[in-house]
Every structure is written in C-alpha cells, then in structure tokens.
Amino acid sequence: MEHFSIYNNSPIAKIDLSVFNILGNSLSIKREDMLHPFVSGNKFRKLKYNIQAAQEQGQKTLLTFGGAFSNHIAAVAAAGKEFGFETIGVIRGEELEVKISENATLSFAKSCGMRLYFISREAYRDKDNPEFIINLKNQFGDFYLLPEGGSNALAVKGCEEILSNETASFNYICVPVGTGGTMAGLVKASNKEQQILGFSALKGTFQAAEIAKYTPKTNFEITDDYCFGGYGKIDIDLIRFINEFREKTKISLDPVYTGKMIYGIMDLLKKGHFKENSRIFAVHTGGLQGIAGMNQKLKNKNLPIIE
Ligand SMILES: Cc1ncc(COP(=O)(O)O)c(C=O)c1O
C-alpha cells in the first residue's frame, strides 16, 4: 500500500465567510478531493483497506457496479491501473454500450483498462443476489467484489481516517451522503461532543439505518432538504451557487454531492441553524470527475454550465 500512504492526508482550508455576508461562525473544508486526481475524496478512503485485502488474498481482479456517471467506477478503474489489478465494471443500462465515447466517466474507465459489462436496469436490481454473483464468477473468473458505491466494513474503517486530532475541536462535521458508508466512518471516529450532519444527495434519510449497522453512536443527523429533488438532479440556483463558490474560494464542487452539501451548509448558516461561534468542518469528498458528464447534459438542455 505504499502508493496510497503517500496521499494519506489532505489540507484543511478555512473559508472566508465574510465574502458570503455570513458572520459569527467558522467553516473549514477538508480537501479530500486533493488526495488523488481520480481516486479522490471518500473513494480513496473506501478503497484503501479493500485494495490491501484484495492484495493479501492474492486476487488479480476487482469487480464492481455503478451507473453512467459513477465516481466509484472511475475510482476503481484508476486504482486498478495504479495497483496492477484487472478491473470489471458492471454498468446499469444496456443502452450505454454504444455511447461510451460520449460519456466522460465510462471513457475514462475504459482508458484505464476497465472491462465494461452493460446490463439492463432490471438485471441490475439483482446485483446483491448471491446467484447473480456466482454467474458473474462463471463468466469472468474469480474476483474481489466491491459493492456499488464501495461501502463495506473495510470502507468504513478507511473513512474513519478522515478525522484526526486536528479535527477534534470542531463542533459540527458535515458530509454528503449517498449510501451512508462515509458518514458511518465519521460517526465512528467522532468524539461525543461533535455532531455529524449528513446531506443526503437523494430523497430520503434511510441511510441512518446503514450507519447503525456500523456504530451504536447516535450523535448524527441526516437531512434531505438539499437534495434538489433527487439523485443527480440539479437546478440553475445550484449551478450558480457552485460557480459563485468557486469564484470566491477557488474551490470546485461537484453537482451531485459536495455542491449540494455546501449549498445546504450556507443556507443553514444564513438561517442561524448553528449555535453562535460554532466551528463547522465539511468534508470535500471529491467527485469532480462528474462535472464533465453533468455539463454535457446541461449543454443538451441549453442551461448554463459548471465552470
Ligand atoms: C463525491 C462523493 N461524495 C459522497 C458520496 C457519498 O458517499 P457514501 O455512499 O459513502 O454515503 C459519494 C458516493 O459514493 C461520492 O462519489
């Protein structure tokens, strides 16, 4: 794991909130997006111990699942290339097979050597069924299986390492939520005075049950108030915010996860949600590779793009 340990820490950037006309609290962002250009943010954390386990088991191939714009697919493809694994991506949507060149994420994964295997949305729903996995093994040979989104116990262990002594004095720890695996690691590694606040990237806060599988701690809350209607959905307000935030802070945000979280934090700050003089800490979980795909969709709809 020599390569990964080089990247083990990321800088913390203090945001000047006065340029957003916000006073009385502080916001710092942990730039996990800077860990690695493609295995960035929580992807690096989630893969670290899984790659180690695959190496220890002598596995030669990593297999995982994802949709057309999946950060996880891009990260597994890049990590496979870097660490000498064959990679197989089982992709939701048969129709995408003829559109690889139009899709930045899938083209990138392919350029890293990932074998892309497209299946129907219906078949994809079956991906956790043991029989489905056996069929994949019959087809492709043995592999180390990474679940969709990459969340498992080893991933949660890796995500615990996002927090350290450096972060112990923050009052709130904010994170975008998909499956809840990253947040589970943060909850586990937090101290009891800290409140972990999750911003769901999709409708619902069902991820709380996922977190409870990994830790008995309850110092957390998940909101879907800033999911903008659902997974991958955005509007002009969010695009403008992401562009404004980048202009003022030089920090890029992705439209699916981190953009929604920072939008939510700013809104809650303006509404006085946090106690005065609170020290707020947000995890930039990466995902910037998804901007190209989103911009393609925005252009097709004649909407402004993410700069
Ligand atoms: C950039 C980014 N942030 C946050 C998340 C959410 O992570 P989790 O699924 O662990 O909740 C993801 C999803 O995989 C992601 O790609």
Side-chain angles (χ1 to χ4, degrees), residues 7 32-41 78 82 108 286-289:
Y7 303 114
E32 294 277 290
D33 56 311
M34 291 169 80
L35 286 171
H36 187 282
F38 294 102
V39 195
S40 79
E82 187 159 342
F108 170 76
L288 299 177
Q289 70 83 33

Side-chain angles (χ1 to χ4, degrees), residues 196-216:
I196 319 301
L197 190 49
F199 293 81
S200 185
L202 52 159
K203 269 191 197 160
T205 59
F206 54 90
Q207 302 94 335
E210 187 62 19
I211 293 168
K213 285 187 199 159
Y214 295 104
T215 173

Side-chain angles (χ1 to χ4, degrees), residues 58-71:
Q59 294 281 2
K60 302 267 178 289
T61 306
L62 307 174
L63 179 140
T64 196
F65 304 92
F69 302 99
S70 167
N71 294 322

Side-chain angles (χ1 to χ4, degrees), residues 109-305:
K110 200 174 164 201
S111 75
C112 292
M114 182 177 255
R115 266 173 86 179
L116 300 174
Y117 176 56
F118 295 86
I119 60 173
S120 69
R121 280 150 216 278
E122 199 186 357
Y124 192 87
R125 267 180 235 127
D126 223 20
K127 65 184 177 317
D128 296 324
N129 185 335
E131 224 172 282
F132 184 72
I133 304 299
I134 290 169
N135 285 340
L136 287 173
K137 289 203 171 171
N138 289 337
Q139 193 169 346
F140 295 113
D142 202 13
F143 51 73
Y144 185 90
L145 178 74
L146 292 158
E148 183 186 47
S151 289
N152 59 14
L154 289 178
V156 171
K157 180 179 168 190
C159 290
E160 287 179 51
E161 294 176 3
I162 297 171
L163 298 187
S164 64
N165 289 342
E166 241 186 329
T167 63
S169 65
F170 286 97
N171 308 104
Y172 293 91
I173 292 167
C174 302
V175 65
V177 179
T179 62
T182 309
M183 186 163 176
L186 297 180
V187 173
K188 271 186 101 168
S190 65
N191 60 52
K192 60 179 188 307
E193 285 82 35
Q194 293 179 314
Q195 180 72 9
I196 319 301
L197 190 49
F199 293 81
S200 185
L202 52 159
K203 269 191 197 160
T205 59
F206 54 90
Q207 302 94 335
E210 187 62 19
I211 293 168
K213 285 187 199 159
Y214 295 104
T215 173
K217 288 183 173 175
T218 55
N219 56 331
F220 71 89
E221 195 184 329
I222 303 177
T223 173
D224 67 353
D225 284 353
Y226 301 98
C227 76
F228 287 80
Y231 186 75
K233 301 219 167 121
I234 62 171
D235 65 14
I236 290 192
D237 199 24
L238 181 63
I239 300 167
R240 285 207 186 107
F241 171 76
I242 289 173
N243 287 336
E244 183 201 348
F245 191 80
R246 180 160 182 262
E247 206 182 296
K248 291 184 169 161
T249 66
K250 307 278 172 278
I251 298 176
S252 295
L253 301 171
D254 83 292
V256 181
Y257 293 100
T258 55
K260 292 181 180 182
M261 167 185 68
I262 299 287
Y263 183 104
I265 294 172
M266 291 299 193
D267 192 55
L268 292 175
L269 277 164
K270 285 182 189 149
K271 287 179 175 157
H273 170 87
F274 301 101
K275 267 189 256 151
E276 216 174 321
N277 296 323
S278 286
R279 298 189 69 219
I280 300 156
F281 176 81
V283 182
H284 191 315
T285 46
L288 299 177
Q289 70 83 33
I291 293 176
M294 184 60 82
N295 276 345
Q296 193 59 51
K297 280 198 213 166
L298 292 169
K299 271 186 205 155
N300 293 345
K301 290 185 185 167
N302 269 330
L303 287 168
I305 62 162

